[in-house]
Amino acid sequence: MADVNRGNRPLSPHLSIYRPQLTSMTSILTRITGNAMLIAALLIVWWFLAAATSESYFAVANGFLTSWFGDLVLFFSLWGMWYHTLAGVRHLIWDNAIGLEIKTAEKMGYAVIGGSIVLTLLTVIII
């Protein structure tokens, strides 16, 4: 049966009027980096399989992964790994009901973002 009062009901908040919080954006980014790490893992498995297959096939895979695009993909995969790790630690802290206040949660969000950038750069510089 059709709802005759459909136009009279209030609308729920929509993206056009909703201001996203840092915690919601970092949560979404955690899910994105988790999926991106799967793609990076598949690229690395492809590289190992190519090495086990033949020298010419390894040259193709190695050429892709060591190109500027492959370096960019692996760099952002490294950042995604650090980000996902730190966000996971943040969620473990939240699971213990620590840091759930809005100000503290926002500080932890900035710490996850900043920490992942610093750890990525340190990893690239050291290795």
Side-chain angles (χ1 to χ4, degrees), residues 24-66:
S24 63
M25 293 293 102
T26 54
S27 179
I28 292 168
L29 192 55
T30 302
R31 288 165 174 79
I32 292 170
T33 56
N35 290 316
M37 285 190 306
L38 176 63
I39 294 169
L42 290 174
L43 285 174
I44 293 169
V45 167
W46 173 54
W47 185 73
F48 280 127
L49 287 174
T53 303
S54 70
E55 189 174 333
S56 61
Y57 189 52
F58 176 72
V60 171
N62 193 49
F64 176 77
L65 285 175
T66 57

Side-chain angles (χ1 to χ4, degrees), residues 1-89:
M1 181 177 341
D3 186 3
V4 293
N5 293 322
R6 187 177 194 146
N8 298 332
R9 292 186 298 181
L11 296 175
S12 61
H14 191 266
L15 291 175
S16 62
I17 60 171
Y18 176 73
R19 186 183 76 81
Q21 293 91 18
L22 179 65
T23 52
S24 63
M25 293 293 102
T26 54
S27 179
I28 292 168
L29 192 55
T30 302
R31 288 165 174 79
I32 292 170
T33 56
N35 290 316
M37 285 190 306
L38 176 63
I39 294 169
L42 290 174
L43 285 174
I44 293 169
V45 167
W46 173 54
W47 185 73
F48 280 127
L49 287 174
T53 303
S54 70
E55 189 174 333
S56 61
Y57 189 52
F58 176 72
V60 171
N62 193 49
F64 176 77
L65 285 175
T66 57
S67 69
W68 68 269
F69 183 72
D71 286 343
L72 191 65
V73 167
L74 292 177
F75 177 80
F76 281 114
S77 298
L78 178 64
W79 172 78
M81 183 194 67
W82 280 120
Y83 179 86
H84 198 80
T85 301
L86 293 178
V89 169

